[in-house]
Amino acid sequence: MGLMGVQENGNGDMELAGLPLGNKNKYKRMVSELTDYGDEDDDASHHHHQQDKGRSIRKYVFACAVFASLNSVLLGYDVGVMSGAILFIQEDLKITEVQEEVLVGCLSVISIFGSLAGGRVSDALGRKWTMGIAAIIFQAGAAIMTLAPSFQVLMVGRFLAGIGIGFGVMIAPVYIAEISPTIARGSFTSFPEIFINLGILLGYVSNYAFSGLPAHTSWRIMLAVGILPSVFIAFALCIIPESPRWLVMQNRVEEARLVLSKTNENEAEVEERLAEIQQAAGPANGEKSEEKAVWRELLSPSPALRRMLVTGFGIQCFQQITGIDATVYYSPEIFKTAGIEGNSKLLGATVAVGLAKTAFILVAILLIDKVGRKPLLYVSTIGMTICLFSLGLSISLLKEGPLGIALALLSVCGNVAFFSVGIGPVCWVLTSEIFPLRLRAQASALGAVGNRVCSGIIAMSFLSVSRAITVAGTFFIFSAISALSVAFVYKYVPETKGKSLEQIELLFQNEHAWKGSEVELGDVEHLVQKG
């Protein structure tokens, strides 16, 4: 706070730095005697004013995080609705099993191109308008899929939807992390994951609601419902501000200060954050050569950046190779293998999965800034390992009996619940926190690419692998991978709770803090003092 020449004393009062107040004590005493009566009232009104301001700021950031996360509803809805729609598409368009795998899984692979382009577009046009582009492209894809007369046209719509989702999934966490105050960044950055889960649940409910219609009509209505959120996204773009960190990178410092004043409680904090961002952005703001430098830096990283990439890319890949998308996309197939019969019962069981997934994401939101990122990751990965193993057991040993069906349903619900408590939201929080400002959009895009590649591989190979080694065998493999993710979290994921984005960057400069035991809250402060 040296910028303003103001220091905070132990009582939380502001003193002018450098002024010798000690020899003026008699004047201070006289003033205090005259103002004693008014002080208490002034203090109370000031305290209430600060409380009101704090509440309005939290509401404002909350609204920004909600609006920025609306694109994630589209991704979730597509994932959820396709699990049921595919049953009717198969019946209506007479597609083969390989075509079914390609149709379901290609969305993740195609979204890679959207994520890669999204990093560059968001650095050029801004975080806010990249979210708008994402929505427009997705809606075009959803409209084409709804009207598709053949598998080929369906794939064209799927391609566009994938590009839109790639943009949206990469940019929302980056934008929210850049606009949120440090103390609540974890909760707010988890919002996209909440909305993905909400979308999945809506997709499942849509499946169940329209499953009674003729095959030719039902899947088209299911996909058409996904077009509705575009209205809200268009409205959101008129309200939310641009990211202050992006504005600083464009040398639009006054605009950045204005946005920070809406998201931080006092002027001193605004100036401190602005100074940190300007320092992190470096002197190369707005230069055309910077984009080449970013990719050069990512391809030949410094030791600190290499640690960031290992943590960010690793956690994104583990989020998907533990099989969550296979569980969600193919839950009707899994329940069919366990012994549940009839489309309505199968789709009803998937609604239970959607409810479990959505309910437990709310638990994560409440705990992520209190408990921290790392404890939630431990609970999540260990719980998933157990549930995936028990799902394999229920399908292989208790096949088609009532006990097997109950254990399979419990295991699938448990798996998605543990996923939602930890690795689901924390994965996106971490990748939006750990990278330095000048690299954040491109490096987050790279992490999203890893996530989507793994998702695509799992979704496009699940049916084939299940035919080769059985569904139970596939889940035993997922369980083993999930056990590996526990070790990865222990060794390579530091605790980032309560630290500013700029402090987290310092954390990765220290190999011991990154690779080893838990990181205490004071560690970064020691690092800052040493610096």
Side-chain angles (χ1 to χ4, degrees):
M1 301 197 197
L3 283 168
M4 299 180 67
V6 172
Q7 289 175 336
E8 203 170 316
N9 67 22
N11 302 319
D13 302 321
M14 292 296 182
E15 292 180 356
L16 290 172
L19 287 182
L21 294 177
N23 59 355
K24 310 261 183 184
N25 274 347
K26 59 182 178 181
Y27 298 113
K28 282 175 74 179
R29 273 199 302 275
M30 286 167 65
V31 171
S32 70
E33 282 168 17
L34 290 170
T35 55
D36 263 354
Y37 297 107
D39 272 356
E40 285 179 23
D41 292 341
D42 288 350
D43 285 351
S45 67
H46 177 71
H47 180 65
H48 285 308
H49 175 70
Q50 285 297 102
Q51 276 189 327
D52 290 344
K53 191 178 179 190
R55 271 196 293 271
S56 68
I57 281 169
R58 279 192 294 275
K59 283 178 188 170
Y60 181 74
V61 178
F62 177 84
C64 290
V66 167
F67 285 136
S69 305
L70 287 174
N71 269 323
S72 301
V73 174
L74 304 178
L75 170 58
Y77 185 80
D78 187 276
V79 170
V81 84
M82 195 49 83
S83 68
I86 197 73
L87 301 172
F88 302 100
I89 292 170
Q90 212 172 10
E91 194 181 323
D92 184 29
L93 302 180
K94 305 289 185 281
I95 60 173
T96 64
E97 193 175 271
V98 172
Q99 285 176 321
E100 183 185 341
E101 279 186 321
V102 169
L103 182 64
V104 169
C106 74
L107 187 91
S108 295
V109 178
I110 293 163
S111 66
I112 293 163
F113 302 108
S115 289
L116 280 172
R120 299 180 68 170
V121 170
S122 71
D123 278 348
L125 299 180
R127 316 312 197 207
K128 173 177 167 176
W129 296 111
T130 304
M131 290 188 273
I133 291 167
I136 291 164
I137 297 172
F138 179 87
Q139 302 310 331
I144 290 169
M145 284 195 290
T146 301
L147 302 169
S150 65
F151 177 74
Q152 287 73 19
V153 178
L154 197 59
M155 284 301 294
V156 171
R158 200 84 173 130
F159 180 85
L160 282 173
I163 297 285
I165 279 171
F167 268 83
V169 87
M170 169 262 143
I171 196 58
V174 171
Y175 172 83
I176 296 167
E178 290 185 349
I179 205 164
S180 300
T182 300
I183 195 164
R185 191 181 58 244
S187 296
F188 285 132
T189 313
S190 309
F191 274 32
E193 189 64 23
I194 298 182
F195 279 72
I196 287 174
N197 283 283
L198 187 61
I200 289 171
L201 179 58
L202 290 172
Y204 284 159
V205 170
S206 176
N207 285 341
Y208 187 68
F210 301 118
S211 61
L213 297 171
H216 178 71
T217 314
S218 59
W219 66 269
R220 295 176 192 279
I221 294 175
M222 289 172 188
L223 296 178
V225 172
I227 299 170
L228 296 176
S230 62
V231 181
F232 297 105
I233 293 167
F235 173 70
L237 291 175
C238 301
I239 293 174
I240 62 174
E242 185 50 86
S243 155
R245 286 167 170 87
W246 182 80
L247 290 169
V248 168
M249 285 168 69
Q250 303 302 306
N251 282 325
R252 291 156 65 178
V253 179
E254 282 309 310
E255 289 175 62
R257 184 182 275 114
L258 192 65
V259 175
L260 285 169
S261 69
K262 292 178 183 175
T263 59
N264 290 276
E265 288 191 25
N266 59 58
E267 195 61 38
E269 200 176 334
V270 169
E271 293 302 326
E272 190 179 2
R273 287 280 160 267
L274 192 60
E276 279 182 355
I277 293 165
Q278 285 176 301
Q279 191 179 351
N285 287 352
E287 290 181 10
K288 294 287 182 190
S289 60
E290 184 160 335
E291 195 165 290
K292 285 181 185 172
V294 165
W295 281 107
R296 200 178 298 126
E297 202 172 336
L298 288 172
L299 293 170
S300 55
S302 64
L305 181 56
R306 192 177 300 117
R307 290 175 201 130
M308 292 173 189
L309 288 168
V310 167
T311 301
F313 201 73
I315 200 77
Q316 286 278 12
C317 292
F318 270 115
Q319 193 211 44
Q320 289 299 331
I321 58 176
T322 46
I324 188 67
D325 274 8
T327 310
V328 173
Y329 274 129
Y330 297 110
S331 48
E333 300 275 345
I334 295 163
F335 291 136
K336 201 184 286 183
T337 310
I340 297 175
E341 292 169 1
N343 280 353
S344 277
K345 282 185 183 174
L346 287 170
L347 297 176
T350 63
V351 172
V353 175
L355 283 168
K357 205 169 185 304
T358 308
F360 279 86
I361 188 78
L362 299 174
V363 175
I365 301 315
L366 293 171
L367 296 179
I368 195 164
D369 282 316
K370 291 176 184 170
V371 175
R373 285 52 159 162
K374 204 160 178 174
L376 288 182
L377 282 173
Y378 280 138
V379 170
S380 174
T381 48
I382 292 167
M384 284 167 65
T385 304
I386 295 164
C387 289
L388 288 163
F389 189 79
S390 72
L391 180 57
L393 278 180
S394 69
I395 293 171
S396 59
L397 299 181
L398 306 166
K399 199 159 49 172
E400 298 187 11
L403 185 61
I405 290 172
L407 186 58
L409 187 57
L410 191 65
S411 299
V412 172
C413 288
N415 182 50
V416 297
F418 279 116
F419 176 87
S420 288
V421 156
I423 200 166
V426 173
C427 160
W428 296 106
V429 172
L430 278 170
T431 46
S432 62
E433 286 180 331
I434 62 176
F435 294 108
L437 175 60
R438 66 189 180 281
L439 307 172
R440 188 171 296 138
Q442 306 280 35
S444 295
L446 207 58
V449 166
N451 184 286
R452 297 291 89 201
V453 167
C454 294
S455 168
I457 291 168
I458 298 296
M460 290 174 84
S461 62
F462 178 76
L463 292 178
S464 304
V465 172
S466 297
R467 298 285 176 270
I469 63 167
T470 73
V471 174
T474 310
F475 279 102
F476 286 136
I477 290 171
F478 285 148
S479 177
I481 295 168
S482 188
L484 283 176
S485 71
V486 181
F488 177 85
V489 168
Y490 174 76
K491 195 161 187 182
Y492 296 119
V493 178
E495 182 57 77
T496 57
K497 180 186 81 166
K499 300 171 176 70
S500 76
L501 297 176
E502 289 69 29
Q503 286 174 330
I504 292 165
E505 191 178 336
L506 280 172
L507 183 63
F508 280 85
Q509 308 285 346
N510 181 319
E511 188 168 1
H512 174 71
W514 169 71
K515 189 177 180 179
S517 60
E518 300 286 333
V519 180
E520 297 300 323
L521 279 174
D523 287 357
V524 171
E525 280 70 12
H526 293 314
L527 285 173
V528 173
Q529 284 162 14
K530 283 180 189 173

